[in-house]
Amino acid sequence: MRVYVPLTLPGLARAHETGVLAAEPFAAYAVTPALREWCGTDDLEELEYTALGEAAGASLRLLAADSEAAPRRVVVAVDVADGAVTPDPDGLGEVTVAAAARLAKAAAVHADADDAEADVTAAARAVTAADAGDDTARKALDAADDHELLWFATQEIPTLLATP
């Protein structure tokens, strides 16, 4: 099963250094029954795009908790054994993976372009208020969501990490 692991650039740097994307158990996002129901489609590409978007939102929350991290959302797509994945019944695409994931097994890395930094910074500052229902703060999150995450091959991680 393909899962989407939310990270920050420092988290990606640690994974690149150690080779361990995530120790078990870890939280990720995937195409779950709840996500399928919410989307109302069987189009796997659309479902995976939605799971990726949910992981990008989780990456934003990681950025909100780490003011030192560069303001770029990062999500790593990795395939894990189906039996290792347990969907969260209350979450949209949220899963717990009960197996470690090696970065070498990653299919791709998705990350914001440099031009998203201002919107991602504003969204990270507004995430708590948006979660509490503040419509103005929600607009900041929407502005960050307007930026598509770029696709990077795993071989491009050193270049991605070297980007200021």
Side-chain angles (χ1 to χ4, degrees), residues 129-152:
D131 287 347
D134 183 314
D135 287 336
T136 302
R138 182 71 229 166
K139 288 178 185 175
L141 271 62
D142 291 343
D145 285 343
D146 285 344
H147 295 275
E148 295 285 330
L149 297 182
L150 302 178
W151 182 93
F152 295 89

Side-chain angles (χ1 to χ4, degrees), residues 2-67:
R2 170 94 16 116
V3 298
Y4 299 90
V5 183
L7 294 174
T8 60
L9 283 175
L12 181 61
R14 281 188 298 278
H16 185 255
E17 182 180 309
T18 65
V20 177
L21 175 60
E24 62 177 285
F26 65 93
Y29 292 79
V31 176
T32 63
L35 186 102
R36 283 181 188 278
E37 183 179 329
W38 185 82
C39 286
T41 183
D42 287 328
D43 182 334
L44 185 58
E45 187 173 319
E46 185 176 332
L47 292 165
E48 287 182 336
Y49 182 78
T50 302
L52 172 65
E54 292 300 310
S59 175
L60 183 64
R61 283 159 177 76
L62 293 173
L63 289 170
D66 182 0
S67 62

Side-chain angles (χ1 to χ4, degrees), residues 101-156:
R102 308 244 351 123
L103 187 58
K105 298 289 185 179
V109 176
H110 304 269
D112 280 310
D114 292 341
D115 67 353
E117 287 189 7
D119 287 333
V120 171
T121 298
R125 289 182 183 141
V127 73
T128 302
D131 287 347
D134 183 314
D135 287 336
T136 302
R138 182 71 229 166
K139 288 178 185 175
L141 271 62
D142 291 343
D145 285 343
D146 285 344
H147 295 275
E148 295 285 330
L149 297 182
L150 302 178
W151 182 93
F152 295 89
T154 56
Q155 299 87 334
E156 296 178 280

